[in-house]
Amino acid sequence: MNGSAQLFKGIINNRFPVIILGTQSGDEDLELPLFGLSTILKATKSFSINNKLGEGGFGAVYKGVLENGKEIAVKRLAKTSTQGLHEFKNEVISISRLQHRNLVKLLGCCIEGAEVMLIYEYMPNKGLDSFIFDETPMELVDWPTRYNIIIGIARGLLYLHQDSRLRIIHRDLKLSNILLDKDMIPKISDFGTARAFGGTQTEAKTNRVVGTYGYMAPEYAGNGIFSIKSDVYSFGVLVLEIVSGVKNRGFAQQEHCNNLTGHTWVLHNEDRSLELVARCVAESINVSQVLRSMHVALLCVQRHPEDRPTMASVIVMLESEGQLPSPKEPGFYVGKATQHMTRSSSSHELCSNNDLSITILNGR
């Protein structure tokens, strides 16, 4: 490591202009440790394919081991990436000063030659999606573990929305962006599309809608309006996926054309919610916790943002035993299907495990 340096002085060859990384108020500059390229090459064995952990919109992620034995994860900007300086700057500003046990920790960055990289703490259990959606490992995640993961994600979001120096709206909360450490503690990651609010601001509108189909709130997907309540909607989808082991997007059911949230709404109204629980956790469930988790999730995915609870209320409801308010109809609920619309798939059809992150210019 080359010590601490002010990133706004960094110049990246001829790929990008001078990087200016300051807080939104402009009254202080962010400082972050800079790793030398030689250090990263040695740690990752020159980005060996055997060290590759995965790949996202920013680029590939590699495992590395520093000379002192510390394990790291290196996110390397790809030459063909649809993201770039904006997302790099955004992620550093959003997460560099956040400290919470349920947020992934940014250790530093590497800006040298044509290379742009972010260095994180290494998460040995990788993404939550690999446990929930893959049939083999999902059996290792019993209900108590899933419940603790739900609570951990909720606490991380509460910190972002209420307790951090700036109010952070994640905007791309999904299972693959929840990493797990060696003790299966969840860490929210990937802040490249996050937005920071100062003062009392809680809502904004954008013409550049970014996120992942299946997790985006109706007002954000349709009109580009995002707020803490759009993150709450995504959290509700996460909870239903963790409970059921199936994806919201790509879900199909013979009786109607709804996604997972719509199907959960139907089962809830018919007092059949337990039918949705993943079979592999059936023997370990706490019925009261499962039903409460699904009920709270339905409150989070209600169509109108003003009807959704805050994350502070979500945590109280999840951890208490009091009576819960009745949820209203969820977003994207379409009701019963007509015969020609009914799919001939099984009740729990799964789509590809590869979520599609999108950027929509001129949000409608």
Side-chain angles (χ1 to χ4, degrees), residues 17-81:
V18 176
I19 294 182
I20 301 174
L21 292 179
T23 60
Q24 290 189 339
S25 62
D27 57 358
E28 62 177 317
D29 297 307
L30 297 178
E31 293 187 0
L32 194 67
L34 289 175
F35 289 75
L37 179 58
S38 60
T39 299
I40 301 303
L41 289 173
K42 186 174 182 179
T44 61
K45 297 182 179 179
S46 298
F47 302 112
S48 167
I49 189 66
N50 294 327
N51 282 10
K52 188 174 181 179
L53 300 173
E55 191 157 358
F58 187 90
V61 181
Y62 297 85
K63 178 183 178 180
V65 181
L66 300 176
E67 288 186 345
N68 62 6
K70 184 177 181 63
E71 294 180 318
I72 58 174
V74 180
K75 184 190 288 189
R76 183 188 189 193
L77 179 64
K79 294 180 180 179
T80 58
S81 174

Side-chain angles (χ1 to χ4, degrees), residues 40 52 65 100 110-111 154 158 164-165 193 259 261 281 287 293 306 318 323 327 331:
I40 301 303
K52 188 174 181 179
V65 181
H100 192 276
C110 176
I111 308 171
L158 174 61
S164 61
R165 294 180 62 182
T193 59
N259 55 14
T261 57
V281 298
V287 173
S293 297
E306 60 269 21
L318 285 172
Q323 185 174 357

Side-chain angles (χ1 to χ4, degrees), residues 105-272:
K105 185 176 182 180
L106 180 64
L107 303 177
C109 63
C110 176
I111 308 171
E112 192 168 326
E115 294 288 354
V116 182
M117 291 174 277
L118 294 167
I119 318 301
Y120 295 92
E121 60 178 332
Y122 174 66
M123 296 288 105
N125 282 315
K126 303 180 183 179
L128 179 57
D129 59 325
S130 64
F131 283 90
I132 299 301
F133 297 141
D134 291 351
E135 293 183 2
T136 301
M138 70 187 298
E139 297 178 2
L140 303 176
V141 188
D142 58 12
W143 172 251
T145 302
R146 295 185 189 218
Y147 181 71
N148 288 333
I149 288 172
I150 290 171
I151 296 296
I153 298 170
R155 292 190 178 281
L157 272 182
L158 174 61
Y159 173 79
L160 293 175
H161 291 176
Q162 179 175 303
D163 298 330
S164 61
R165 294 180 62 182
L166 292 172
R167 181 175 290 109
I168 305 293
I169 312 300
H170 190 281
R171 293 207 298 170
D172 196 18
L173 193 68
K174 56 185 177 181
L175 257 65
S176 59
N177 283 341
I178 306 298
L179 304 182
L180 301 169
D181 71 6
K182 62 182 179 62
D183 298 316
M184 299 297 284
I185 294 175
K187 312 270 188 176
I188 300 173
S189 70
D190 201 341
F191 287 77
T193 59
R195 283 285 297 270
F197 289 163
T200 59
Q201 185 181 8
T202 60
E203 181 182 292
K205 185 173 183 179
T206 180
N207 288 329
R208 187 172 182 263
V209 177
V210 294
T212 303
Y213 284 124
Y215 296 94
M216 293 166 61
E219 71 279 4
Y220 182 48
N223 298 305
I225 299 173
F226 63 93
S227 66
I228 59 174
K229 296 299 185 71
S230 50
D231 273 357
V232 170
Y233 183 95
S234 301
F235 173 78
V237 175
L238 284 181
V239 172
L240 295 180
E241 291 183 332
I242 292 171
V243 170
S244 67
V246 299
K247 287 192 174 188
N248 184 40
R249 183 170 182 258
F251 179 88
Q253 212 274 346
Q254 287 186 337
E255 296 178 3
H256 52 69
C257 293
N258 284 298
N259 55 14
L260 180 61
T261 57
H263 183 54
T264 304
W265 169 252
V266 171
L267 294 180
H268 172 81
N269 289 331
E270 297 177 355
D271 293 324
R272 297 164 52 203

